[in-house]
Amino acid sequence: MFRLGSATRLSPSCVRFIPLFAVIFLLIISFTVFKSSGIEKYQERTNAPYVYINHRVGLAEPDLNEYSVKTHKGYISLSELNEKVYRPFGYEISKPTLPVPTLRMLNEPTCELVFSEWLRISQEPQTDIPQKEIPIRQTDQFLLNGYAALGSYYFNDKNSGWGDKPRNWDRISEIMTYSKKQIANLAYPVESESMYNAMAANRLDNLTGVVVGSMQPWVEVYALKNGAKKILTVEYNKLAIQPEFRDRLSSILPVDFVRNWEKYAGTFDFAASFSSIEHSGLGRYGDPMDPIGDLREMLKIKCMLKPRGLLFLGMPYGTDAIQFNAHRIYGSIRLAMMFYGFEWLGTYSGENSESFDLNSARLHFKGVFGLTQYTMVLRKL
């Protein structure tokens, strides 16, 4: 039998450290395997801000199977979304940027077609009260062929006595004296401040703009405070604007705006909308049911802006979903369609005046049907 001699026998103090050395060795091995596997790259692709990573040098086209975004079904590859969602809706992925893919439109409509189609749909017969369920024949169109979640959250703001109504348009002088926090409290405390922060970082000095949807003049006041010269508000309700501000503020009904679209095409330096476009086409306010009502609004805005014009866009962000008929929630899938024709410059919250990187983790951190309203700044390409 072989025995250790006294010169080679381990001391008791060394023996005590053997388990520690073993643990360290196993950790080193595990880290090496992790680095060499695809796991680290997968996390980089899903949690990094708006980036495009092509690890395969020399390939002309990236493999969309290597990129995934989060949905209510879990992580779905961009390849699957390209085939099941984007192409059926008239888009395709041009770059696998994350957390929002960059798209091209397969057959972009002219501005004339965009506005004529909106007008045609607006003239279709409507129900007496907003529908409580998505029509079965339009389910796939509304829910992106099943890749957007569906929940119920019903409102009748068409003809109910307690629906949202315009207010405070006769108090603009007073509101102009408010702090940004006081103004935000008129609408969405804290979240509304994201609009001010975005405008302050992208000044509007002597610029002309259009606001899409506005029950109260808080977005308009933010724009005026950040230097805007003139603002036109497109709103379904007639607005009684304080006389002293009618040289700088005006309003128009959507149908009149559309009928005279050529007068406004390419004339605005900026556009702004907060908690408005996500309702388009859901019928809550008596508007026609339209699965792509929000996408039409984005195309209309694109037509109205000058080249390189800015869009300040505040909506509910999270995991792609519809809480019918209240609103849409915008995740990686639908945001890509909304962003078509624009460059994403930055994202602002109400808590900080500086922009932040909206990565996948922050976009989806509240789970399905959880949402946060930020303001994104987009520039027309």
Side-chain angles (χ1 to χ4, degrees), residues 63-327:
D63 184 356
L64 297 182
N65 286 301
E66 293 186 353
Y67 299 83
S68 301
V69 295
K70 193 171 185 179
T71 75
H72 76 105
K73 294 183 173 185
Y75 281 98
I76 302 295
S77 75
L78 293 191
S79 177
E80 180 176 335
L81 292 175
N82 209 31
E83 296 302 320
K84 300 291 183 65
V85 179
Y86 293 132
R87 284 177 177 157
F89 278 79
Y91 302 83
E92 68 178 8
I93 295 173
S94 59
K95 290 182 181 179
T97 45
L98 295 174
V100 181
T102 300
L103 306 183
R104 66 171 66 92
M105 210 167 187
L106 299 178
N107 187 20
E108 182 176 355
T110 63
C111 290
E112 181 178 5
L113 183 59
V114 168
F115 285 98
S116 64
E117 278 295 289
W118 186 96
L119 190 60
R120 178 187 64 79
I121 292 171
S122 72
Q123 295 171 341
E124 293 180 354
Q126 302 300 312
T127 57
D128 292 336
I129 62 172
Q131 297 188 48
K132 295 185 177 182
E133 295 181 350
I134 294 175
I136 294 177
R137 61 183 177 82
Q138 293 182 309
T139 299
D140 284 342
Q141 291 175 286
F142 272 102
L143 299 180
L144 302 175
N145 291 331
Y147 289 89
L150 176 62
S152 179
Y153 193 15
Y154 181 78
F155 288 87
N156 176 7
D157 284 323
K158 177 181 180 180
N159 48 26
S160 67
W162 56 86
D164 200 12
K165 305 296 180 186
R167 55 199 181 279
N168 292 326
W169 289 91
D170 58 344
R171 299 174 54 213
I172 298 174
S173 292
E174 176 188 346
I175 297 171
M176 285 288 291
T177 67
Y178 288 4
S179 68
K180 70 172 182 177
K181 182 176 182 179
Q182 289 174 312
I183 295 171
N185 287 339
L186 294 174
Y188 305 93
V190 181
E191 290 180 330
S192 294
E193 291 184 55
S194 66
M195 179 64 73
Y196 181 92
N197 293 336
M199 289 179 169
N202 299 269
R203 290 282 303 181
L204 306 176
D205 296 303
N206 209 35
L207 299 183
T208 299
V210 58
V211 172
V212 179
S214 188
M215 288 293 190
Q216 301 189 75
W218 67 272
V219 172
E220 290 81 355
V221 168
Y222 274 162
L224 291 175
K225 280 177 166 284
N226 282 287
K229 180 181 179 181
K230 286 189 176 182
I231 303 166
L232 174 66
T233 298
V234 183
E235 170 54 44
Y236 278 98
N237 299 275
K238 291 187 176 182
L239 306 177
I241 297 171
Q242 183 179 337
E244 293 87 339
F245 284 85
R246 290 177 186 170
D247 59 333
R248 286 178 281 173
L249 302 179
S250 58
S251 67
I252 189 171
L253 297 174
V255 66
D256 294 330
F257 184 75
V258 168
R259 285 173 175 158
N260 295 280
W261 72 269
E262 290 176 288
K263 173 183 175 181
Y264 300 106
T267 63
F268 295 105
D269 300 297
F270 72 93
S273 183
F274 196 98
S275 191
S276 176
I277 292 178
E278 69 268 23
H279 306 298
S280 298
L282 299 184
R284 169 178 172 176
Y285 293 93
D287 51 312
M289 294 289 289
D290 183 5
I292 59 169
D294 54 340
L295 302 180
R296 292 188 203 278
E297 290 301 317
M298 292 295 288
L299 290 172
K300 285 164 59 184
I301 291 171
K302 182 171 174 285
C303 289
M304 294 300 103
L305 286 173
K306 295 177 180 178
R308 298 181 64 80
L310 296 180
L311 170 58
F312 300 88
L313 184 62
M315 305 184 302
Y317 300 103
T319 301
D320 287 284
I322 293 180
Q323 290 183 292
F324 192 81
N325 66 353
H327 52 235

